[in-house]
Amino acid sequence: MRLRQAGPGEMAGDPEAFEAFYRRHIDEVTRFLARRVDDPHTVADLVAEVFLAAIDSAHTYRPALGSETAWLYGVTRNTLLAERRRAARELQAGRRIAGRRLLEADDVARLEERIDAEASAREALDAMRELPEGERALLELVVVDQLTLPEAASVLGIRQGTARVRLHRARRSLRRVPGVVPPLVMEGLR
């Protein structure tokens, strides 16, 4: 079976055209990447990514600007650069993590104690989840974070009068739901 010669612009919707394009350029792309990457698994992954990217960007090929090989090398180069950026971010993240000390047993115990101590605050936040955003944010600041009403209004960038109205609405809404409001919220609602 002889595959017809088709350019990049035709391969996006035509499997036969893509196969012909792939067969014509697989060796070139592999050589291009093998000259720049020394891991065979990475080369294989990048080759696959290059041809996927070629399908996605086939509409950008302009014969007047150069050969399809040159265009494909551009796609290959961009794919390689994206991989290098990804690998650099991963390496940087690994270095940041490596610079941190691991938690000792007593550190874990202290964190567990803190998490247990905040259980009622988590219950309060769960109970507030159904409130409209403005009311919930204000109630969180007043009840959970224990800010004064003027402080909470300042954090949210609203007037104190608006804050009082939202707090009243939030209190009224939560009181309508029997058994859902934990003691910490009820305490802050008084």
Side-chain angles (χ1 to χ4, degrees):
M1 176 178 124
R2 172 118 167 93
L3 294 173
R4 64 185 178 84
Q5 181 98 1
E10 299 173 52
M11 71 177 172
D14 183 351
E16 284 184 18
F18 173 73
E19 184 180 353
F21 180 82
Y22 177 84
R23 287 178 187 228
R24 262 192 329 273
H25 296 290
I26 183 70
D27 291 335
E28 295 166 334
V29 169
T30 303
R31 278 193 306 272
F32 183 97
L33 291 166
R35 285 190 292 266
R36 292 161 174 83
V37 177
D38 61 1
D39 177 52
H41 299 286
T42 303
V43 170
D45 290 345
L46 286 171
V47 168
E49 286 182 40
V50 164
F51 283 99
L52 288 173
I55 290 172
D56 290 341
S57 61
H59 66 280
T60 66
Y61 173 64
R62 302 289 178 264
L65 299 177
S67 70
E68 65 183 35
T69 300
W71 171 81
L72 188 57
Y73 276 3
V75 172
T76 304
R77 184 177 175 280
N78 290 338
T79 302
L80 178 60
L81 291 174
E83 169 58 21
R84 286 182 175 162
R85 285 190 299 271
R86 186 209 56 76
R89 283 191 306 270
E90 189 176 286
L91 182 62
Q92 185 179 20
R95 285 181 181 153
R96 281 196 308 262
I97 291 170
R100 309 266 165 112
R101 66 179 175 87
L102 298 176
L103 293 176
E104 301 292 329
D106 58 332
D107 294 330
V108 172
R110 272 196 305 278
L111 286 172
E112 287 173 340
E113 288 172 14
R114 170 56 61 196
I115 290 168
D116 289 344
E118 297 298 330
S120 61
R122 280 193 306 281
E123 288 177 22
L125 291 170
D126 284 343
M128 294 179 221
R129 190 163 285 137
E130 299 302 317
L131 293 173
E133 171 61 26
E135 293 174 20
R136 183 184 51 75
L138 182 67
L139 198 56
E140 285 178 6
L141 291 170
V142 171
V143 175
V144 178
D145 299 316
Q146 299 188 352
L147 295 180
T148 65
L149 189 63
E151 290 170 331
S154 175
V155 168
L156 296 173
I158 58 175
R159 289 187 244 136
Q160 287 184 31
T162 303
R164 262 191 293 291
V165 169
R166 286 184 185 175
L167 186 59
H168 174 74
R169 286 182 189 151
R171 288 174 173 164
R172 191 176 61 218
S173 295
L174 286 177
R175 284 190 181 124
R176 287 187 198 141
V177 185
V180 172
V181 183
L184 177 65
V185 175
M186 289 310 291
E187 199 173 289
L189 294 178
R190 292 189 176 95

